[in-house]
């Protein structure tokens, strides 16, 4: 049975979450080289610049590592799940490899990793037979960390997660704290189901104030979340994104220019198909028999102890992950040190303020500075 998500669902890739299962042990993560990575290493240099498939927990997954081996390792956990950083890393992080080893990973079900593993024309049968789970993705992330640290000869990394990646990041950081010197959560997802209901009321109020009859009709037809159909979740996210855009400063367009190495039609199709696959598992769909990963996430009740410094970067105009929810979680966290950055004129996604703050945070971590 072939299945393809409608275009109305391709709008929520940065808002995704997961369900918590049993703890992950160190033994459950493993890696080995799928093939020799493409590398520009030289014997006389500390520089590393490699990209390729690494076998992570039984499947080939796309990993890129670029920077100076003597500098701190930063592993980026992209949002979605499905919205990979790899195609945009040259534009977003140009020059950062002088100060850091930049590690990007196309997660299971995303980008090149999805393209490598999913059969052509994969549909609902494949989706149901290959579900995404938080435990599997967190185990993958731990193995990617171990691989990257092995490649550069270090023993700890800085972990950065955005949106969905922040939910994954909390799971990874609290499962294997020995691998990380700090955790940075951007647009930190805490309790997706609870925040979803608050988001509905907030965006409904904004639409009423703006006399936005189109959005009001959509919201009234949908009713309050949660929704049993992925299509409805996609429609809801579309309205949220509209109001986030209207009340925040966007990212420069050139940040999201696809690098030439990822610009083929085939790569683009893999990214799009991976978004569909990942979004369906995030949102769930009762009629299709797919459980939502977002259903049971509530970090206000668990994952409260970190054994490394914690930084949160939060947009004041973020509706998907509200400042109220992230600050409540932040206040409950126990960590050696923690800092919370609230950015005005900023919503759920990236903009210049987010990148400037991330730069500052990374410098603080590198210099072992932590202001209380």
């Amino acid at each position: 049975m072939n299945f393809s998500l409608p275009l109305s669902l391709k709008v929520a890739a940065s808002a995704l979450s997961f369900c918590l299962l049993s703890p992950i042990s160190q033994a459950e993560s493993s890696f080995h080289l799928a093939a020799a990575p493409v590398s520009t290493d030289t014997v006389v240099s500390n520089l590393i610049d490699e990209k390729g498939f690494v076998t992570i927990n039984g499947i080939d997954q796309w990993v890129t590592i670029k920077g100076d081996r003597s500098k701190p390792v930063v592993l980026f956990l992209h949002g979605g799940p499905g919205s990979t950083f790899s195609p945009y890393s040259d534009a977003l992080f140009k020059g950062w490899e002088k100060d850091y080893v930049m590690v990007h990973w196309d997660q299971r079900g995303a980008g090149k990793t999805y393209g490598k593993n999913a059969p052509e024309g994969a549909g609902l049968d494949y989706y149901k037979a290959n579900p995404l789970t938080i435990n599997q993705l967190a185990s993958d992330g731990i193995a990617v960390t171990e691989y990257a640290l092995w490649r550069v000869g270090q023993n700890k990394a800085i972990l950065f997660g955005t949106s969905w990646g922040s939910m994954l990041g909390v799971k990874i950081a609290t499962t294997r704290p020995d691998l990380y010197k700090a955790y940075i959560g951007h647009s930190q997802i805490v309790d997706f189901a609870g925040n979803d209901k608050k988001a509905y009321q907030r965006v409904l109020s904004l639409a009423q104030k703006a006399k936005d009859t189109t959005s009001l009709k959509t919201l009234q037809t949908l009713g309050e979340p949660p929704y049993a159909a992925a299509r409805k979740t996609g429609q809801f996210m579309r309205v949220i994104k509209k109001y986030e855009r209207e009340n925040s400063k966007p990212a420069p367009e050139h940040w999201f220019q696809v690098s030439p190495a990822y610009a083929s039609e085939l790569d683009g199709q893999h990214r799009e198909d991976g978004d569909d696959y990942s979004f369906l598992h995030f949102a769930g769909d009762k009629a299709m028999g797919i459980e939502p990963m977002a259903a049971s996430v509530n970090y206000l009740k668990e994952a409260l102890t970190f054994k490394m410094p914690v930084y949160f970067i939060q947009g004041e105009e973020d509706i998907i992950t509200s400042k109220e929810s992230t600050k409540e979680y932040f206040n409950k966290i126990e960590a050696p040190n923690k800092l919370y950055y609230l950015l005005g004129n900023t919503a759920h996604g990236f903009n210049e303020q987010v990148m400037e703050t991330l730069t500052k945070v990374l410098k603080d971590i590198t210099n072992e500075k932590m202001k209380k």
Side-chain angles (χ1 to χ4, degrees), residues 150-216:
W150 170 69
R151 287 295 294 130
V152 301
Q154 296 189 37
N155 57 18
K156 287 194 176 186
I158 299 168
L159 187 63
F160 171 82
T162 180
S163 187
W164 148 259
S166 73
M167 289 298 283
L168 186 58
V170 165
K171 182 67 171 174
I172 291 172
T174 56
T175 299
R176 287 294 307 277
D178 58 302
L179 291 176
Y180 306 101
K181 62 179 66 176
Y183 169 68
I184 308 167
H186 168 242
S187 297
Q188 179 69 52
I189 298 176
V190 178
D191 170 17
F192 194 87
N195 197 74
D196 232 9
K197 293 180 179 179
K198 294 174 184 176
Y200 181 89
Q201 294 302 324
R202 181 175 176 187
V203 80
L204 179 63
S205 176
L206 290 169
Q208 289 170 337
K209 185 177 180 180
K211 298 181 179 179
D212 178 357
T213 56
T214 301
S215 295
L216 284 171

Side-chain angles (χ1 to χ4, degrees), residues 28-32 34 54-61 108 113 116-117 136 139-140 143:
E28 289 175 312
S29 64
S30 64
F31 69 83
H32 70 268
V54 181
T55 302
I56 301 292
N57 292 331
I59 72 166
D60 293 349
Q61 303 196 40
R108 185 180 295 252
T113 300
K116 178 76 170 179
N117 293 281
Q136 183 64 73
S139 179
D140 290 350

